[in-house]
Each structure stands twice: as C-alpha cells, then as structure tokens.
Amino acid sequence: TGRTVESAFFQRTGLAAVAYDGRITLLGGEMPTAAGGTASTDSVVTFYPDVTTGWSELYLLAPLPQPRAGLGAATLADQLFVVGGYEVAPATGSPTATPSMWVYRTNAWVATTPNGIPLASLNTPRHSFGSTVVDGKWVVAGGLDSQGRVLDSVEVYDPASNRWTIAAPMPLARVHLALAPLNGRVFAVGGYDADGRPLRRVDVFRP
C-alpha cells in the first residue's frame, strides 16, 4: 500500500525535484503566502521518506540566491545544479524568464566553477520547460520565454566544457512538458502547444 509523508514545505507548484545525496530534494517553486496567494520561493528542502512507516527526516538546505519557480534542476558530476525559471509572476503578462545557473557547493549556492569561471547561462531565457540528464549531459527543451512565447528550442549543457549548446529543435513547441531519457535518447512527452492545447504526441531526440 502507498505511504504518505506530509509537510508544509511540500506545498508548492512549479518546483524542481531531484534525487541528491541519498535524499529527495525540492527546489524553488511557488508556495502559499499569508495573504492567501502564492509567490515564488527560494526554499530548498531535502527529505528521506521511509516507504515502510511514512516517517521522514526533513532538512532545510541553503536557500536559492533568489526566489525561483518554473526552474530546472539536475545532478551532474555529483553536484546539484539549477537553471532557468522566473522570480516573480506578474498579475498580468508573462513572467520574466532567467537564463542563469547556480550550483550547490559547500552548503551554499554559487554561480562559478571550482576554477572561478562563471557558470554558463542558457542561450534562451526560459521557464516551465522540460529537463533531464542523458549520458552525463543536461538537456532542457521548450518552455516559455519572457514574452510568453512557447518554445521549440533545445539546449544541452556539458559540465566538462561549462557550455550550453543549441541542439536541433523539437518538431513542435511545448510548455509544461516532461523529458525522459532511455537508451541514449530523450523523449518529450505531453505539455501544451502554442495554442494552449494539451498534446498527445511524443517526440524523440538523440543528443
């Protein structure tokens, strides 16, 4: 039977989640405010759920440098990275997407490599995109830009060169999609198209 672990720290949307350091880590997203709305958060929380009892150890990690929702996260070379997303969702219009990337190191978030070189930014600022790791490289695809346009573009990050490379675009622009790796390929599943229609199709990408 299923087990349930509950915490106010889990009450968020537009977040990223990864398995990191033997635990599940939740990063950013939007959380409820005292005024009854939601707002982007800088909260990073990690927990270890026990599938037998539902009991969990929960720890707060160093928060993100700024609140961020609609972001992507990945573990590369045993390090935790975040990229993209938006800080504030306006009442009207589209959130301003960011291209910047941070890495979690020595209990803090930094924007440089161990050699002090700035971490590469996305070529296209985006949020609410698909994200996955395949063959040691990070693939992000689709999402929305700051003008609210649904994107078909794909970018691949190589931690060895600290570079985001533009790859072949998806056949169809998508937002709120899922990416999944299998046998060296990346599968783009679901999401909405540029007209706001839920998609049935799956597109396959070979990095």
Side-chain angles (χ1 to χ4, degrees):
T1 59
R3 300 289 178 177
T4 300
V5 179
E6 293 188 358
S7 168
F9 288 107
F10 302 159
Q11 192 177 6
R12 59 181 84 192
T13 59
L15 69 156
V18 295
Y20 172 70
D21 196 25
R23 297 180 176 90
I24 297 172
T25 300
L26 310 180
L27 306 105
E30 291 194 349
M31 296 183 71
T33 64
T38 60
S40 301
T41 180
D42 60 3
S43 168
V44 179
V45 61
T46 185
F47 67 101
Y48 176 76
D50 188 307
V51 296
T52 302
T53 65
W55 177 86
S56 173
E57 292 277 1
L58 186 148
Y59 306 93
L60 291 176
L61 301 187
L64 300 172
Q66 291 93 32
R68 191 175 284 199
L71 70 164
T75 53
L76 297 163
D78 297 322
Q79 291 183 299
L80 176 59
F81 290 80
V82 297
V83 76
Y86 62 85
E87 183 174 350
V88 178
T92 60
S94 180
T96 299
T98 179
S100 64
M101 182 163 61
W102 301 315
V103 62
Y104 192 72
R105 189 181 300 121
T106 60
N107 300 317
W109 292 92
V110 296
T112 59
T113 69
N115 297 325
I117 300 170
L119 290 174
S121 294
L122 292 167
N123 293 282
T124 301
R126 67 184 74 214
H127 66 84
S128 306
F129 48 87
S131 169
T132 195
V133 174
V134 59
D135 295 334
K137 297 181 179 180
W138 192 3
V139 179
V140 302
L144 291 171
D145 65 11
S146 295
Q147 288 71 48
R149 294 175 295 206
V150 180
L151 303 171
D152 62 2
S153 58
V154 177
E155 301 189 39
V156 181
Y157 180 69
D158 185 348
S161 62
N162 183 34
R163 182 182 178 187
W164 284 100
T165 301
I166 298 174
M170 294 184 293
L172 188 66
R174 300 169 179 256
V175 61
H176 298 300
L177 68 155
L179 296 186
L182 183 66
N183 297 331
R185 294 179 173 86
V186 174
F187 292 76
V189 184
Y192 294 96
D193 66 13
D195 295 319
R197 295 173 297 198
L199 294 169
R200 291 181 169 185
R201 59 184 284 172
V202 176
D203 293 323
V204 185
F205 168 70
R206 184 190 293 274

